[in-house]
Amino acid sequence: MTVLSLDLGPRLSNQNLYRAHTGDTICLQRCPELKGIQLNLKCTNPVGEEILLRQDADRAYFTLSSGGPYRVTWHIVVNPLPLNWTSVSMVTILADPVLTSTNSGPSLTIDQIAAQSHLTKCCGEVQRWGDVFRVSVESGYNTIHLTPVQELGISKSSYSLHSHHKISSSLNLNSGGGYEEDLEMLSRHLQDIHNKTGLFFLTDVVWNHVSICNREILSHPESYYNLYNTPNLIPAYLIDRSIHEFGNAQDNITDVQDLSSFEIKLRNHLLGTAQTLEKLYKIDLNKVLDVKKSTEASLCESQLNKKDINDLIKALWLVNYKEPEYAGDIDVGILRKFLEQRGVTSEPDQNSKISAAICHFNDVEVPTIVDQILNKVISAVMGTVKYRFLDEHGPKLSFGNVPIVDRYFHVSDITFTEELALDIYRKEDAQRIKTCNGWTAGESVSDMNSTMAYTNREVVIWGDSVKLRYGDRREDSPWLWDYMTKYTCDMASLFHGFRIDNCHNTPLHVGEELLRAARHVQPQLYIVAELFTGSEERDCEIINRMGINSCIRELSQSHSPRHLGELIYHYGESKPCGSFIHNIPHGDVVHQPGDENIPLGDQTCTEDNTPQLSLGSSRPHAMLMDQTHDNPCPFDQHPLPNVLALSGLMCAAKCSIGSNRGYDELVPHHIHVVEEERLYQGWSQSDDEDLKPAKKALIKLHQRLEDKGYYETFVDQAREDVVIVTRHHPDTCSKVLVVVATSWSEDSSLTRNYTVSLPGENVKVLLETEILSPQTLPKHTNNKDYITGLSGVKIDVRENPLSSKMVTVSKPDEGNLDIDLLLTPGCVIAVEVEPPQSSKTALQYFNSYILCPEKFDKDLDKVFSTLDLLDLNYVLYRCNEEERVDGCGGVYHIPHHGNLTYAGIVGFLQVLETVTKNNDTGHPLCRNLCEGWWMADYTVNRLKKKNLKLGFFLEEIFFAVEAVPNYTRPKVFYKIISSVYSACLRQIRKLIPTMKTSVGNSWFVEQLVLTSVQLVGKVGDTGIPVLLQDKESVASLAAGLPHFSHGFMRCWGRDTFIALPGLLIKTGRLDVARDLVVGFARTLRYGLIPNLLSERGHRPRYNCRDAVWWWCRSVKLLYKHQPSILQESVYRLFYKDDSPVSPQTPFVCTVFDVITEVLQRHAAGITFREENAGRELDEHLLDPGFNMTAGVDPETGFIRGGSRHNCGTWMDKVGSSSQAGNKGIPATPRDGSAIELVAMGYQTVSWMAELFESGIGTTSVVNMKTGSTHKTVSYREWSEMIKENFEDKFWCSGGYYGNANGYYRDTLGSESGGDEKLRPNQTFAMVIAPELFKPSHMSEALKTIGTNLAGLVGMSTLSPEDADYQPYYDTGNHGNDYRTAHGFNYHQGPEWVWCMGFYLRAKLRDFQHLKKDNPDCMSDDEIGQYFATVLAPHRAMIASDPYRGLTELTNKGGQHCPNSCPTQAWSSGCLLEFLVELEQSEFSGS
């Protein structure tokens, strides 16, 4: 099974190529963003029919039943779409066909094809084809490529067809009937040859032109390009006619001086044509202003951004003049709209500016445009004239006997004048001006309405052919579509494949439709083409649209040995040595996770043990040819020995291969597709004194390499004139070296020695072939009737020789070889080398044990059964700082890459995931492994240091595979490490209950659960206080990695208890949750718990008011799962507020007592100055900021505290820039009653009241300070007080930001003036204490928050309408802006991810309220899709982040913030809380 990930990004486009092969089952697997999103999936097969997809939750399946393009489209059923999403996406999977014999003979995959091109007209009558093609069979070819078999036009060019519906009379079919009978007779002949020889047949299809003598098209003028249906060609015709008239009147050109004089005359002659062009191109001012244009004209963005009206007019003209109906007119409505947006509103003023601009265009721009055209035309004409009449390598034609240039237009029956050109519309005579077809490199001339190639004389014209016009749809030219569809289907019934002539100038929609029709007739149709776009991306687009299987690439056009090597590397290297690609005969598939629960590394299997492999983008597949039939003779560029060398390199490549008839016979001239009239020799006429025996041996070698499984390729430019192509067997690691000695330089014409040193044994020489004599071209006399080659050329061919003349092998030491080669010019040597015995043993172990899940995975599971989650934290993760603190030396460093993110195996797999996906065997990680097993040693030693059984187990594994060939080490290491990772996941699923529930089957939930393992571990210098005096350490929850990994920065009181419910309670890690709850309870002082710990909790800092309330919330949530938590003993560190750490006999209480104390201390009021206040404690905070207060408002019961000089909640940024003037100033004090603290206070006292009412506890009252006195208040009275006052005090009906949208105040009674700022903190309160909120108000507030604060992955910390809003956080900002210097805006606009969890939980409850009141307002599925869409960016983030977590914050719109901590505990924890709650709701979709 082959897996293709359905992505949102540009990867899935027609500019990427995804190849598989017939018979594959394709699994379409959603990328992280699309998991859970409702999609409408559709797949069409190569004939355009929709096929049925087998679908489950996140996957769809179908089978490639035939060759050609399968197009998968998916429509995202979400409204509105998230930012940067497109509603419809598409990807093409190109299935390689299999050429199948009709008589049960052998079939061919495309890499087995060895084709030979023939000019059909040179094959003669069909009765002699068997003899002609036997030459090909005896030369080793299995496929014949024929030029069109149709009747040729007057030029006798093989590609200028008199009629597509007439078989050439030269074939002498003697069918006794017409076209249909000829088809039947030709089919019988081809089938007979196929049955006798096994040959397959390809032919050219010609869709773009027909011979000028074709009479059928004359009655269908819409079917060819002429000046009536394409009037923008009028300038090209005028230029063409003028050049023709000029050329007929010129004297002979004999030297360069004549050429200079000729150019001057030509320029002067064209001046008259230039004046006509200016008349054509000018804008008719009166027509523009007289026409009343619609006021509905609209401007596109590119028009709106034009600098002035002059630029806009030029842009409109560049588009409009190419349109068939252009008559000097442009849309005045667009011009007026443009001027209106620039303040010119009156029509007279507009007319004045429009008139001036058009006059400027006509007087200045048009002459410039015409002058540019003439310069290009003259340059093109002079280049052609120089080549035709003067160049040393040109044809050196006789002046006067031929035109100076070829005509671009074929004119019949009329004289077409400039005057007629200026009034061409509706003149039917213009239909008789036929446009000739031609060829361009780069720019396509398939769209004649937009190209300037004809006007600029950039087309290599074929004067014997008329260019056909299909239009945009079948209705534009129905006769031509029907005519070509029948022709194409007829050829598909005769042949196994097509070569598309002039492919890149074929309109894509035409090629698509005609090939669909052909594949109806021949489902396994093989399509090959030459593409000259100059862009591999453009090539891929054409390949995908038409379903082209192979692109023809030619070696004889190479200009140096190095260029040859580059061609083989680029087109003949399907998979590099040591490839991560699965070892199958063809198709580019990469070992990647098939199991959606395994995000890193590992090939997995379906229930029926079918391997799941990921489809990777690949290069276009090549048919590599030593020579093509339409290019010059190789002897024009290469010495004789290189002819053998080119064939040797071609046959060493892993792709389709081919040659031209005549190459192997050493024909020393070009067999011209137009001029050649002689016949090929048959087998009965040929001899062996040419390249045929060598070619046969080389093609046999090519087939052997494919059949025996040598799928991996390495190309080495061993020395300037020696290219070595090494083909590796991925399983046995045997290799075949094909050594080719090219012959370009004088030095390379001599015999020389070369030594190849490599590990191995048992060398076998497969082939030696060399040219014995002569080394230079002998004289040749052409035969007048037959095409013949050089005679007297002796080529020695030795297959599997018992004694080699050119190879000597020695063993310098055990397991290594020196292969000494005697290289003669052009020789080809192929040797097979087996790996050393030690490598064979290691490979056998790898293949039979490591690759066997029943054995290796079973043993891994036994080892992992001894590991707990803290062990797994060590095995999988641990960042550099965590490692160094524990004396482990840090993470692994890869030269030329850098440090890994983690010391554990996720660090390696995070890099390997990209390496394997791209099959990047040249990555620094792979190079490091090839040079030594240091990564394995690092991993083993690190695990053994902790005395983990896994370390000793892996030591044995790596020892057993140590001797594998070094280039295979990356894939061996990858397979071992990815298997270990999979075993880790299996063990985690056993240990974490959440992973086993239905929600645990969700890919995203599982990734969030893994962050619990990632962030919880034992780190030596953590500040978490021990629970008991005899307990050395406990696990701690890092606030984030790598920023908050160790020391006093690791464990934050606030962060720990915001993240704890999600990462520890929801994952069932109640023991760790208990330890953290009790550990922080030990530090209670002043009625608060600290935000920062140091010296194992002995010197904590009590500078936050909210951490204790997050702690209380965590205790309440933990109590539901572990009621005994309230009675856990707490060994207090501080006996009194002002006492030092307690001595040996500490003060002991329970967790319940701590909560009681927290409530009483707040009720009584808290006031203190931080211990050790001053610059040593905080170098930035001003002195008043060290004075801390907290308490309760006796009128409302609201928790309150703080001042404008300090920050007591999570928005705790204090400025540090003296230059900008914000040093020591809190950016967001949030003093007074912060809304979430009020909610948590309410939740806590309400819960304590419930506990007392259920018989737990001995007291239910506090003494609350009321001014100078105290009053006794019960928990229940306190909670009711809060509830009664909350809505009245916090609801804000709008107006602060100038709008009427309501929301809840952020604080109450703040002396810093921030009460009515719109922030996300109200959503915390909605979740924590929803009973405080009026449902309608909460719904309105959530709409306001969603509109103003909801970002891509996080929540903006301040409304964009606020004057203090600054959404880009940068601690390196050393500017003068008070609002942003040194990151002062930390909580003034940047988007925090953890807040999104509370917002979504609030939205979930809001939906539940709405559904209760109005069940039909939204369907459950729609609500589920809303949440799935919102979380798509989070899924993408956790899948791609190097630390495999959710970041702390982003800048505006989800933009990456470089200062953000990559994986943050509360980001993962809060979203995990939401997802578990969603799963338990009616909107889960389960």
Side-chain angles (χ1 to χ4, degrees), residues 824-843:
T824 59
C827 74
V828 180
I829 302 170
V831 296
E832 187 174 43
V833 183
E834 293 183 9
Q837 185 57 48
S838 59
S839 295
K840 291 181 182 178
T841 302
L843 287 166

Side-chain angles (χ1 to χ4, degrees), residues 83 306 425 434 573 652 906-907 975 1040 1046 1123 1182 1194 1244 1318 1353 1431:
L83 188 67
K306 294 300 178 185
Y425 303 104
K434 304 172 186 174
E573 183 187 276
V906 169
K975 177 56 186 174
H1046 66 288
L1182 300 178
T1244 304
L1318 177 59
V1353 292
L1431 290 175

Side-chain angles (χ1 to χ4, degrees), residues 370-636:
V370 172
D371 191 53
Q372 290 171 347
I373 290 172
L374 289 189
N375 286 336
K376 291 179 180 179
V377 167
I378 291 168
S379 175
V381 170
M382 297 309 299
T384 302
V385 169
K386 183 174 182 294
Y387 171 75
R388 282 187 162 193
F389 301 108
L390 295 181
D391 270 5
E392 185 66 29
H393 300 291
K396 291 190 174 179
L397 303 174
S398 298
F399 203 85
N401 295 333
V402 294
I404 59 171
V405 293
D406 291 325
R407 295 295 304 268
Y408 273 32
F409 297 87
H410 179 68
V411 184
S412 61
D413 303 331
I414 66 167
T415 300
F416 196 73
T417 64
E418 284 90 340
E419 290 73 21
L420 184 58
L422 294 175
D423 190 26
I424 186 61
Y425 303 104
R426 294 177 299 280
K427 300 293 183 180
E428 293 187 3
D429 281 344
Q431 295 176 344
R432 302 179 187 178
I433 311 297
K434 304 172 186 174
T435 306
C436 296
N437 196 27
W439 175 88
T440 59
E443 182 193 0
S444 169
V445 290
S446 59
D447 183 4
M448 295 292 284
N449 286 322
S450 64
T451 183
M452 287 289 288
Y454 275 77
T455 303
N456 294 334
R457 306 290 294 188
E458 294 167 344
V459 182
V460 179
I461 209 71
W462 301 326
D464 59 351
S465 299
V466 175
K467 186 170 182 64
L468 297 175
R469 174 184 174 272
Y470 292 85
D472 295 331
R473 59 193 65 82
R474 182 176 286 270
E475 292 76 15
D476 292 338
S477 189
W479 176 86
L480 180 60
W481 278 94
D482 292 342
Y483 177 85
M484 282 300 180
T485 299
K486 175 171 174 50
Y487 156 69
T488 304
C489 291
D490 288 343
M491 293 305 98
S493 70
L494 294 178
F495 294 92
H496 301 93
F498 291 165
R499 174 188 176 272
I500 303 175
D501 177 60
N502 194 221
C503 181
H504 91 280
N505 285 325
T506 301
L508 286 177
H509 68 289
V510 173
E512 283 181 299
E513 288 300 320
L514 294 179
L515 286 173
R516 285 194 188 111
R519 290 187 175 104
H520 267 290
V521 178
Q522 173 58 274
Q524 296 292 358
L525 196 68
Y526 174 58
I527 307 297
V528 63
E530 287 184 286
L531 293 175
F532 302 99
T533 66
S535 163
E536 195 160 285
E537 290 77 16
R538 174 62 176 161
D539 284 356
C540 287
E541 182 180 7
I542 297 172
I543 290 167
N544 279 323
R545 292 278 300 274
M546 293 192 187
I548 296 170
N549 303 112
S550 302
C551 293
I552 295 173
R553 307 300 182 192
E554 187 175 10
L555 292 180
S556 62
Q557 298 302 303
S558 58
H559 49 73
S560 69
R562 188 165 296 279
H563 186 211
L564 261 179
E566 290 170 354
L567 290 172
I568 298 297
Y569 168 77
H570 197 74
Y571 300 117
E573 183 187 276
S574 177
K575 306 175 185 70
C577 294
S579 173
F580 295 94
I581 291 174
H582 185 53
N583 308 326
I584 56 177
H586 53 311
D588 294 297
V589 283
V590 184
H591 283 297
Q592 280 289 93
D595 183 348
E596 65 172 5
N597 294 321
I598 302 178
L600 289 169
D602 202 24
Q603 176 192 355
T604 61
C605 294
T606 57
E607 292 180 1
D608 60 356
N609 286 327
T610 304
Q612 295 189 2
L613 309 157
S614 181
L615 191 64
S617 180
S618 64
R619 291 172 178 165
H621 184 267
M623 173 179 275
L624 198 61
M625 304 185 72
D626 45 24
Q627 185 205 5
T628 60
H629 67 288
D630 49 4
N631 273 331
C633 170
F635 295 124
D636 292 348

Side-chain angles (χ1 to χ4, degrees), residues 865-933:
S865 65
T866 65
L867 303 182
D868 62 21
L869 291 171
L870 294 179
D871 294 329
L872 292 169
N873 165 264
Y874 187 82
V875 171
L876 288 170
Y877 301 107
R878 301 258 296 183
C879 69
N880 192 57
E881 292 77 8
E882 290 175 300
E883 286 287 289
R884 290 191 177 280
V885 164
D886 283 354
C888 296
V891 298
Y892 191 85
H893 176 82
I894 300 176
H896 309 294
H897 173 79
N899 286 347
L900 298 180
T901 52
Y902 293 115
I905 62 172
V906 169
F908 295 103
L909 283 177
Q910 181 265 320
V911 180
L912 280 164
E913 186 178 43
T914 302
V915 170
T916 57
K917 181 178 181 180
N918 298 322
N919 203 28
D920 185 6
T921 57
H923 189 278
L925 179 144
C926 296
R927 291 203 300 269
N928 187 255
L929 279 166
C930 290
E931 292 167 3
W933 277 111

Side-chain angles (χ1 to χ4, degrees), residues 114-180:
Q116 190 178 47
S117 296
H118 291 69
L119 304 184
T120 298
K121 66 179 182 179
C122 295
C123 294
E125 300 176 352
V126 291
Q127 292 78 10
R128 73 184 298 268
W129 280 16
D131 193 38
V132 171
F133 296 150
R134 187 180 172 188
V135 176
S136 304
V137 174
E138 296 297 334
S139 300
Y141 298 99
N142 53 34
T143 304
I144 298 296
H145 160 232
L146 289 170
T147 55
V149 295
Q150 277 68 28
E151 192 74 61
L152 303 182
I154 57 175
S155 69
K156 298 303 178 184
S157 166
S158 295
Y159 291 95
S160 182
L161 308 186
H162 179 272
S163 172
H164 288 72
H165 292 177
K166 184 176 181 181
I167 302 299
S168 174
S169 57
S170 68
L171 302 189
N172 194 22
L173 289 169
N174 295 323
S175 68
Y179 173 61
E180 298 297 337

